[in-house]
Amino acid sequence: MLIGCPKEIKVNEDRVGVIPSTVAELVAAGHDVVMETNAGVGAGLSNEEYIAAGARIADTADEVFASADMIIKVKEPLAPERAKLRDGQLLFTYLHLAPDPEQANDLMKSGATCIAYETVTSNNGTLPLLFPMSEVAGRLAPQVGAAALENNGGGKGVLLGGVPGVDPAEVVIIGAGVSGTNAARMALGMGASVTMVDRSTDALRASVDRFGTAVRTVHSNRDNIARLVERADLVIGTVLIPGAAAPKLVTRDMLQTMKPGSAVVDVAIDQGGCFETSKATTHADPTYVVDGIVHYCVANMPGCVARTSTFALNNATLPFTLALANKGWKQALADDPHLANGLNVHAGKITHAAVADALGESLLNLDQALAA
């Protein structure tokens, strides 16, 4: 199989879908790899490193898309990239289709088979290809939230950890999953007062087992969220429903009870966000203010630490990439039901139930897709 990796074109997206060691593994398995020139430069990876690993360098993205059997990316294809996809081509990347009907329509029209990192599952119920980026985004959230609370970030001038004699910031983390747990780890390390909210008692127990009495835990319901948001200096939203749009757990009415200059960080923005007032931003212009509250809603948070994120992502995607290349997508999905859960689009139809439900589209089930 010929595997192609273009340079990401989303604003300030410096990650890359394939690293040299992944190229070497694919080449050793008998495949060919074509990289767009300078695709890895944002992650500190040169053309020479890719060539040494066995890749060919293409001058343009057009050449990569036109020649490759499988396209590997990081972020969802933007409109100019979607126009380059063709019937029968395989796309393996993050898609986050539930809040993005325009992308979904373009992918269906392309005829490509699209497997989304974020809906691939595992035996233990986790999302293995989302996990590493959730770790990164979670660890970044208190960092960017702390900056938003600074006066020059538009905030009220609160130091997250406080100082002796001055209270630390009150940080509320909605969601005790991977991102939420990593956010709590960093916020506690910075000296903040941390409360975690989740509807799963098991997740809250796990947080107590991990952090002890350093973190407070509260069951997630509307009244509890409203009470906690009102007193918070920083609210971090990390709620995720695989394949579906994120629930709007913090309403604008709740937001209006926060103290002016407080901040929110919406880690769930790729899936539409869990604050009613959220809208996607970029690293170039990451924040905006609604009702006196600073919002950080960057849709590709891990992109600002591109090298760490790129290597972490490739560590997770490599086994699945090899399976798709070695077996072809149909056999790979037939052999692995967890990889099969990543199938989002095939033959012009949506193939993931949660995505189809979110978009109001008819569902082509897996058996039908494999038989198509």
Side-chain angles (χ1 to χ4, degrees):
M1 184 178 286
L2 176 57
I3 295 101
C5 180
K7 183 177 174 65
E8 298 293 323
I9 62 172
K10 192 180 183 78
V11 175
N12 298 119
E13 180 53 75
D14 289 321
R15 289 173 290 179
V16 61
V18 173
I19 60 176
S21 61
T22 297
V23 171
E25 293 287 342
L26 288 166
V27 170
H31 306 291
D32 295 317
V33 180
V34 57
M35 302 289 303
E36 184 181 352
T37 187
N38 296 324
V41 69
L45 299 166
S46 67
N47 287 345
E48 289 71 25
E49 289 175 272
Y50 284 106
I51 292 169
R56 176 171 63 85
I57 303 299
D59 291 332
T60 65
D62 286 344
E63 184 179 343
V64 173
F65 279 91
S67 62
D69 303 305
M70 174 164 62
I71 297 292
I72 299 178
K73 283 176 41 61
V74 178
K75 287 303 292 176
E76 71 281 353
L78 301 185
E81 296 172 306
R82 300 195 294 267
K84 295 178 174 62
L85 292 168
R86 64 177 187 275
D87 187 51
Q89 197 167 42
L90 182 61
L91 174 66
F92 193 33
T93 188
Y94 289 116
L95 293 175
H96 299 291
L97 292 178
D100 194 352
E102 183 179 345
Q103 183 197 174
N105 287 333
D106 285 351
L107 293 181
M108 287 188 283
K109 290 176 183 177
S110 75
T113 296
C114 307
I115 299 175
Y117 293 160
E118 73 273 7
T119 61
V120 174
T121 57
S122 68
N123 288 327
N124 62 8
T126 63
L127 303 171
L129 305 189
L130 191 62
F131 197 106
M133 297 303 95
S134 296
E135 287 181 309
V136 172
R139 293 186 180 212
L140 279 171
Q143 182 174 311
V144 298
L149 286 173
E150 296 174 6
N151 291 103
N152 60 3
K156 56 185 176 180
V158 171
L159 180 65
L160 210 62
V163 294
V166 180
D167 286 339
E170 290 281 348
V171 177
V172 173
I173 300 170
I174 303 175
V178 178
S179 289
T181 298
N182 279 274
R185 187 186 306 278
M186 297 302 287
L188 288 169
M190 297 168 78
S193 176
V194 177
T195 301
M196 300 188 74
V197 183
D198 203 287
R199 65 181 180 179
S200 167
T201 304
D202 288 340
L204 295 177
R205 286 196 182 104
S207 298
V208 172
D209 289 343
R210 184 174 289 112
F211 301 119
T213 57
V215 65
R216 293 188 297 274
T217 57
V218 176
H219 185 263
S220 179
N221 60 51
R222 183 181 178 87
D223 287 345
N224 284 341
I225 290 174
R227 174 175 55 84
L228 292 168
V229 165
E230 182 177 6
R231 77 183 194 202
D233 298 299
L234 171 63
V235 182
I236 298 172
T238 70
V239 176
L240 172 72
I241 300 173
K248 304 296 186 186
L249 297 181
V250 178
T251 67
R252 184 161 190 168
D253 286 344
M254 293 179 191
L255 191 84
Q256 290 172 339
T257 70
M258 295 180 74
K259 297 180 286 291
S262 299
V264 299
V265 175
D266 200 338
V267 179
I269 192 64
D270 278 322
Q271 292 292 116
C274 57
F275 298 86
E276 187 179 4
T277 48
S278 290
K279 61 181 182 181
T281 61
T282 67
H283 290 294
D285 189 15
T287 63
Y288 60 94
V289 177
V290 175
D291 296 333
I293 308 305
V294 182
H295 289 56
Y296 180 101
C297 301
V298 173
N300 60 329
M301 285 181 67
C304 69
V305 285
R307 187 173 180 90
T308 296
S309 299
T310 291
F311 278 78
L313 180 59
N314 270 253
N315 290 343
T317 57
L318 177 59
F320 298 100
T321 300
L322 282 170
L324 291 167
N326 291 341
K327 300 178 179 181
W329 74 269
K330 283 191 176 184
Q331 191 61 52
L333 269 55
D335 290 348
D336 184 350
H338 294 296
L339 180 56
N341 286 332
L343 187 65
N344 276 213
V345 178
H346 176 67
K349 298 288 186 181
I350 298 295
T351 55
H352 190 283
V355 175
D357 184 63
L359 295 172
E361 294 283 346
S362 60
L363 176 69
L364 178 73
N365 67 40
L366 179 63
D367 289 341
Q368 293 171 320
L370 294 178

